[in-house]
Amino acid sequence: MSEQSAQPEYRIEDLAHHSGATVRTIRAYQDRGLLPRPERRGRSNVYGDTHLARLRQIADLLERGYTLASIKELLEAWDAGRGLGGVLGLVAEVEGPWTDEEADRISRAELDARFGGTPDEEAVREAIELGVLERVPDRETEEYVVPSPQELAVAAELHAAGVPLSAITGHLRELRGQVEHIAARFLEFTTEHVFARYLEHRPPTDADAAEAATMVRRLRPLAQQTVDAELARAMRLFATRHLQSHLSPDSPLPEDREPRSVALPPATIRAVERLVGAENVAAFVAAAAEREVQTRTLDTLAANAANHSKIDQEP
């Protein structure tokens, strides 16, 4: 640093040290126009606090998932006097929690106790992979963060009711894909009909971004409320029909549940082995078959419901 200047001055090595970026990264940012050129002093390049602040802004935006191209647009807007406050406020609103549920912690001993008292390493591994559990590092005792205590409680209740842990995690994987589809459709719908007018400019103005953030706060609970209402309606409809079909005297009696061998083409077996490993072939085939049966059952029920609705509407 220069002792003759009121403002701190850095060589590129010092700037790299204070910002956490490498010298190579700093030079790459300069070449891409993300970072202002340094001041030339004789044979040396001199950087200041504005360069340090800019590097920290870039790092923050990268952590939020922005690409370098979009960061350049944002920074150019800032440099043009349009500001980033509204945009970052909108980002914070979208990235904030979408539920009032608070994360909790659980020890390995408590976790095992909630699921019957028998340790199951494979089930814990799958729970970590799905994000149901997050391992707490650097702990003498094994401990986990539980992002959704409600989700873990549901799994514990299902297991207590006799559902195997492998079936619970398999069902969660399937359910997660379906819910992500619903979320994507809700975002497409609201973007088209609500947020498109706020996103006409790239990046949006401070005023538009601030108004969009307010709208996110208003609409955030609507997705869950809609899904809750529709799930309740569908569960009542399908559960009633399911019970009636089992109580009907004309319903066929359940057949024996003894395992049966089914011949599969060798090419199919080899493909499944490459996908999940030889030891998991039987479980994968069984799960895939059960999923197909459930899907077709739901499709049939939905089609029957549609047909009943048309009949009811006929004069």
Side-chain angles (χ1 to χ4, degrees), residues 108 111-112 115 117-127 133 144 159 164-166:
R108 179 57 189 268
L111 182 65
D112 291 340
F115 287 87
T118 303
D120 190 328
E121 298 300 328
E122 178 62 20
V124 172
R125 185 193 65 77
E126 286 195 300
L133 298 174
Y144 302 91
H159 184 63
L165 288 175
S166 59

Side-chain angles (χ1 to χ4, degrees), residues 90-109:
L90 174 59
V91 171
E93 195 65 49
V94 170
E95 291 182 349
W98 285 68
T99 175
D100 294 333
E101 188 178 16
E102 295 184 1
D104 200 358
R105 289 198 176 199
I106 189 170
S107 69
R108 179 57 189 268

Side-chain angles (χ1 to χ4, degrees), residues 222-237:
L222 298 187
Q224 183 172 347
Q225 291 170 6
T226 302
V227 171
D228 286 348
E230 284 301 308
L231 179 61
R233 182 198 64 80
M235 285 299 298
R236 181 182 179 187
L237 174 66

Side-chain angles (χ1 to χ4, degrees), residues 180-221:
E180 287 176 354
H181 174 72
I182 293 172
R185 289 291 299 117
F186 187 80
L187 286 174
E188 291 171 1
F189 171 78
T190 53
T191 297
E192 178 183 357
H193 296 285
V194 179
F195 292 105
R197 60 181 177 271
Y198 301 117
L199 305 175
E200 292 177 350
H201 303 96
R202 294 189 60 184
T205 64
D206 255 12
D208 282 348
E211 192 171 345
T214 300
M215 192 61 67
V216 169
R217 284 193 293 273
R218 288 178 55 189
L219 297 184
R220 177 183 283 137

Side-chain angles (χ1 to χ4, degrees), residues 7-30:
Q7 296 297 325
E9 295 181 349
Y10 310 93
R11 296 174 304 164
I12 191 169
E13 293 81 6
D14 299 324
L15 185 65
H17 172 73
H18 286 283
S19 66
T22 65
V23 170
R24 183 177 179 180
T25 297
I26 293 172
R27 288 178 174 148
Y29 288 167
Q30 288 177 180

Side-chain angles (χ1 to χ4, degrees), residues 128-150:
I128 293 173
E129 182 181 327
L130 287 165
V132 177
L133 298 174
E134 296 176 1
R135 194 184 302 274
V136 178
D138 303 327
R139 298 280 300 187
E140 293 183 4
T141 58
E142 196 172 349
E143 191 174 16
Y144 302 91
V145 172
V146 185
S148 173
Q150 292 179 5

Side-chain angles (χ1 to χ4, degrees), residues 42-105:
R43 295 184 178 181
S44 301
N45 289 325
V46 177
Y47 298 83
D49 273 348
T50 55
H51 295 90
L52 181 59
R54 177 58 57 90
L55 286 171
R56 288 171 175 168
Q57 289 163 358
I58 294 171
D60 180 60
L61 291 168
L62 285 172
E63 287 182 3
R64 295 172 184 269
Y66 284 84
T67 64
L68 288 176
S70 59
I71 290 173
K72 184 177 181 181
E73 289 184 359
L74 288 171
L75 296 176
E76 286 174 349
W78 190 340
D79 291 339
R82 291 171 57 190
L84 273 181
V87 173
L88 295 181
L90 174 59
V91 171
E93 195 65 49
V94 170
E95 291 182 349
W98 285 68
T99 175
D100 294 333
E101 188 178 16
E102 295 184 1
D104 200 358
R105 289 198 176 199

